[in-house]
Amino acid sequence: GAGVSQSPRYKVAKRGQDVALRCDPISGHVSLFWYQQALGQGPEFLTYFQNEAQLDKSGLPSDRFFAERPEGSVSTLKIQRTQQEDSAVYLCASSFVGYEQYFGPGTRLTVT
Amino acid sequence: SQQGEEDPQALSIQEGENATMNCSYKTSINNLQWYRQNSGRGLVHLILIRSNEREKHSGRLRVTLDTSKKSSSLLITASRAADTASYFCATDGILTGGGNKLTFGTGTQLKVEL
C-alpha cells in the first residue's frame, strides 16, 4: 500500500518568502507528526495532530511556523517569512494512536 | 533538543563484519526505538525495545537496553553494503491524546565497504 508522501521533495526559497509543505499520511492513520531535521542531526519534534486537532505544538520554533490538518488527513506545514536557519529537511510521520510511526521521504528546504 | 547521543558518530567497516552502535539518553523512557535513514529516503523503523526488556533480536539486529545506565546498543551482524545508512535511536514520551513524541539522538553514520 501507499506510504506517507510529502511534496515538494525539494524547495528553494528566498529569505522572506512564505512556503507551504504538504504531507499525505497513510490512509486511516489518526496521528500525524511533523519533525525538523537539520544537517547532520537527528529529527526534532515540531507538532502533533490527532485527527484534525493539533494537540501539541511545543516544538514549533517560532510563530512563523504554522501547521494545519483541517479534515483530519492531509496536513500542511507553513513557514512565513523564511529565514536561513529554517533550512532543513521537514519530515512528516503518521501512525495509529500510540503505535509505530511511518515516515515520509521529507521535504528539503533551502533558504537562500 | 536532542534526547541523547550516539557513539560513534561515524563507523566504517568491511562487508561481513559486525557493527555496534551505542546510544545514551537523559530521561526515563517507556520505549526505545532504532531507526535507519538512507540518503534521500525517509526514516525506517528497525526495532523497538520496551523499558522492562534487556535484549531483543530481529533478524541480523540485536538491541540491548540498560535503563540503569540510560544506554542502548544496536548490533548489526554480518553487515552488507546495503546497511550503509545513518542509524538513530529514539525515545518516546506520551503526548496529550496518547500519541508518542519521538526524541532522537544525533545518529551514527555507518559505511559498509565491499
Side-chain angles (χ1 to χ4, degrees):
Chain A
V4 178
S5 61
Q6 293 185 245
S7 62
R9 290 293 310 276
Y10 302 91
K11 177 69 179 177
V12 178
K14 291 188 188 299
R15 190 172 59 179
Q17 282 185 334
D18 298 348
V19 298
L21 312 180
R22 177 187 168 108
C23 172
D24 284 83
I26 293 172
S27 178
H29 277 186
V30 170
S31 298
L32 186 144
F33 305 81
W34 284 98
Y35 293 85
Q36 180 191 56
Q37 186 174 21
L39 187 64
Q41 299 294 315
E44 293 200 9
F45 171 81
L46 293 178
T47 187
Y48 162 63
F49 289 86
Q50 192 173 115
N51 294 305
E52 69 279 3
Q54 188 175 20
L55 298 185
D56 191 306
K57 53 182 181 179
S58 60
L60 296 176
S62 78
D63 58 8
R64 296 185 296 103
F65 286 70
F66 173 76
E68 60 183 6
R69 193 187 185 196
E71 297 179 357
S73 55
V74 171
S75 178
T76 303
L77 176 67
K78 297 179 179 178
I79 309 173
Q80 297 177 323
R81 305 181 303 281
T82 52
Q83 304 293 317
Q84 283 194 316
E85 61 263 29
D86 300 336
S87 295
V89 175
Y90 290 86
L91 296 167
C92 176
S94 71
S95 75
F96 294 111
V97 176
Y99 287 83
E100 176 187 341
Q101 294 181 30
Y102 293 83
F103 283 81
T107 294
R108 182 177 296 278
L109 173 64
T110 302
V111 182
T112 61
Chain B
S1 61
Q2 306 284 179
Q3 160 69 299
E5 296 183 359
E6 270 95 335
D7 168 50
Q9 287 189 329
L11 179 61
S12 183
I13 60 174
Q14 297 294 312
E15 196 172 50
E17 293 181 338
N18 296 341
T20 300
M21 289 160 267
N22 303 296
C23 164
S24 60
Y25 58 91
K26 298 173 184 174
T27 62
S28 297
I29 62 169
N30 296 314
N31 307 302
L32 186 142
Q33 304 179 53
W34 284 88
Y35 283 81
R36 180 183 69 217
Q37 187 175 41
N38 296 96
S39 176
R41 301 183 64 179
L43 284 156
V44 174
H45 182 264
L46 295 177
I47 194 167
L48 178 150
I49 186 165
R50 303 192 186 283
S51 59
N52 61 354
E53 297 177 311
R54 292 295 169 260
E55 188 171 311
K56 198 160 184 180
H57 297 252
S58 176
R60 295 185 295 113
L61 306 179
R62 182 173 78 101
V63 169
T64 62
L65 178 65
D66 186 335
T67 53
S68 67
K69 295 181 179 178
K70 291 186 169 60
S71 67
S72 174
S73 67
L74 171 67
L75 168 67
I76 304 174
T77 60
S79 63
R80 306 166 181 168
D83 295 330
T84 295
S86 292
Y87 291 81
F88 295 91
C89 67
T91 55
D92 61 9
I94 302 299
L95 292 165
T96 303
N100 293 333
K101 166 187 174 180
L102 295 178
T103 303
F104 288 84
T106 51
T108 292
Q109 290 187 353
L110 173 66
K111 183 175 182 181
V112 181
E113 300 187 73
L114 297 171

